[in-house]
Amino acid sequence: MNARLKFVLITVATLVAVGTTTSLGFWQLSRAAQKQERQASVEAQSAKSPLSADGLLAASNPMTLLHQRARLRGSWLPQHLVFLDNRPMDGRVGFFVVMPFVLEGGRGALAVQRGWVPRGFDDRSRVPQISTPEGVVEIEGRMALPPSDLYSLGEPTAGLIRQNLALPQFRQEIGLALLPLTLQQTGADTEGLLRDWPVVNLGVEKNYGYAAQWFGMAALFAALYLWFQIIRRFMNHPKDSASDV
């Protein structure tokens, strides 16, 4: 391969590498901008006044209430208690406790993530007793999606201990038209439940970090090309010597 063809191939490869890594860097910046908009929306929702049952039921699209605070009155259905397995909190593995909550007057119902309890490692099938207030109570929380699904084989599970909670299946089990959102109960740790829910953070910093890495790689490719293909060639090029007369 002659030197000129080699130079052309290296130049083309460098342009492709710099163009690709630069594009990926800008793509990460665009992802960060999108996440910033979503984070701002989450914070704006959280800053709104707490929802009442009337406000919750009046929403034509309950998904628009996501991340908004709520203060609701109603009663628990402890007979439909569910423990979601393999759910961490504060670095420990245990169960998320989910229980249906019927709004006062029977006007509607939703699944509530009441909190977290540790798991007994000596017997994985043993669950703690959950204290549940009787009658009409008032609870506070944040409107949230159902707990994220963990990998599992087969159809959604049933029973007291489950890997995941499929709301459509749960609705059929208990015979109530549950809302598509759940309530993540907040406030003091009561009834033996821990409620140290993670703050909603979409991880914008990661995208900025990835963008910096891609731009750094683009700069490295460009610097290597500049050094080996231009500067060193110029330094090593034999100088024309003037003829002695």
Side-chain angles (χ1 to χ4, degrees):
M1 183 184 297
N2 61 50
R4 184 175 182 81
L5 179 58
K6 183 178 180 181
F7 177 77
V8 171
L9 291 176
I10 292 175
T11 300
V12 171
T14 302
L15 289 175
V16 171
V18 171
T20 301
T21 50
T22 301
S23 298
L24 288 170
F26 281 116
W27 177 72
Q28 287 293 344
L29 289 181
S30 68
R31 289 278 296 157
Q34 293 172 3
K35 286 186 177 181
Q36 279 185 320
E37 291 180 1
R38 289 167 57 194
Q39 187 70 47
S41 175
V42 169
E43 293 172 359
Q45 286 285 87
S46 300
K48 292 180 180 179
S49 299
L51 283 165
S52 64
D54 292 335
L56 180 61
L57 297 174
S60 58
N61 180 9
M63 298 302 292
T64 60
L65 307 177
L66 188 63
H67 305 300
Q68 193 168 342
R69 293 177 296 146
R71 184 179 296 118
L72 306 173
R73 289 179 58 82
S75 54
W76 297 109
L77 296 179
Q79 67 271 29
H80 298 301
L81 167 67
V82 170
F83 291 89
L84 295 185
D85 200 1
N86 297 314
R87 305 291 171 155
M89 186 171 285
D90 282 351
R92 295 183 293 166
V93 178
F95 301 100
F96 280 177
V97 177
V98 180
M99 186 179 291
F101 186 79
V102 179
L103 299 175
E104 190 173 23
R107 295 178 295 165
L110 73 165
V112 177
Q113 301 179 50
R114 291 188 58 187
W116 177 93
V117 289
R119 183 178 64 192
F121 289 96
D122 56 332
D123 183 0
R124 294 176 62 89
S125 64
R126 180 168 56 85
V127 294
Q129 291 292 322
I130 303 299
S131 175
T132 302
E134 297 181 356
V136 176
V137 297
E138 183 176 89
I139 60 174
E140 294 184 357
R142 180 180 66 88
M143 303 307 299
L145 294 172
S148 57
D149 286 348
L150 302 180
Y151 179 76
S152 62
L153 298 174
E155 297 297 323
T157 56
L160 183 63
I161 300 177
R162 311 184 185 195
Q163 190 79 349
N164 299 306
L165 181 70
L167 277 183
Q169 174 190 331
F170 197 43
R171 291 189 191 102
Q172 292 182 351
E173 285 182 32
I174 66 178
L176 289 175
L178 298 173
L179 293 173
L181 289 178
T182 69
L183 182 77
Q184 209 170 59
Q185 190 175 356
T186 58
D189 298 339
T190 57
E191 295 102 37
L193 298 162
L194 183 64
R195 300 190 178 101
D196 189 16
W197 305 108
V199 177
V200 177
N201 189 331
L202 300 178
V204 176
E205 298 78 9
K206 287 185 179 180
N207 295 98
Y208 283 129
Y210 293 147
Q213 292 177 15
W214 287 121
F215 288 137
M217 290 180 65
L220 178 62
F221 287 134
L224 290 174
Y225 177 83
L226 182 65
W227 172 255
F228 286 103
Q229 301 302 317
I230 299 179
I231 297 177
R232 283 193 62 180
R233 280 172 174 261
F234 178 78
M235 293 173 60
N236 295 334
H237 194 278
K239 296 181 179 178
D240 294 334
S241 56
S243 301
D244 293 333
V245 178

